Amino acid sequence: MFSHVMVGTNDLDKAKAFYDALLGTLDVRPARVDGHRIMYLTKAGIFMVSKPINGEPATHANGGTIGFACSSPEQVHAWHAAGIANGGKPCEDPPGVREGSGVKLYLAYLRDLDGNKICAMHRMS
C-alpha cells in the first residue's frame, strides 16, 4: 500500500546516526544520503528522514506513529535498546506484549531525536 514514509529532522547528521543504529537491528543497511534527506531502501519500502524543503523547523505529528516490523521479541528489544543508546526517549509502556481484539503483539515505543513517535512490532498471533 505504501511506497515510502518520511519524517522531518532538524539535524540530518544526528538523525542518520540514530536511524542507522536503530534500523541496523532490523538488518537494514545504513542510509543513503541524498542532499537534504537520507533514505533507507528495502524490498518492503523506503523510509526517509528529511530536512523540511520549506526551510521551516521540522515538527513531529501529534497522534502519528511509524511502526517497524520485527521478526521476534528479541529483535524488538534490540531495536529499543539501540534507540535509547543513540538518544531516543522511551514512551508508552515498557516493551512487552499487548493484546486486544484477538491479536497478540510484542511492542516497544520510542521518540526519535526530533520527537517523532516510532514503534517496533512483532505479531505473535
Side-chain angles (χ1 to χ4, degrees):
M1 177 186 285
F2 303 106
S3 63
H4 67 280
V5 172
M6 185 182 318
V7 297
T9 186
N10 293 303
D11 189 322
L12 204 59
D13 293 332
K14 286 184 180 178
K16 183 178 184 316
F18 175 81
Y19 278 106
D20 280 358
L22 189 75
L23 298 179
T25 67
L26 306 180
D27 298 322
V28 176
R29 289 186 295 217
R32 190 175 111 206
V33 179
D34 181 19
H36 64 279
R37 71 177 55 108
I38 56 176
M39 298 182 288
Y40 297 89
L41 309 169
T42 73
K43 292 179 182 178
I46 302 168
F47 178 70
M48 295 183 284
V49 183
S50 177
K51 291 187 97 170
I53 295 171
N54 66 3
E56 296 292 322
T59 59
H60 57 276
N62 184 21
T65 302
I66 297 170
F68 295 95
C70 293
S71 60
S72 67
E74 293 77 20
Q75 193 174 45
V76 170
H77 278 281
W79 178 96
H80 193 257
I84 291 171
N86 286 277
K89 303 289 183 216
C91 62
E92 302 285 333
D93 292 332
V97 176
R98 313 291 196 283
E99 294 186 65
S101 302
V103 178
K104 189 174 180 181
L105 306 171
Y106 201 93
L107 302 171
Y109 290 91
L110 293 171
R111 293 265 180 197
D112 74 6
L113 305 178
D114 292 285
N116 297 296
K117 187 176 176 186
I118 52 179
C119 173
M121 180 186 73
H122 169 65
R123 292 183 189 277
M124 300 177 81
S125 59

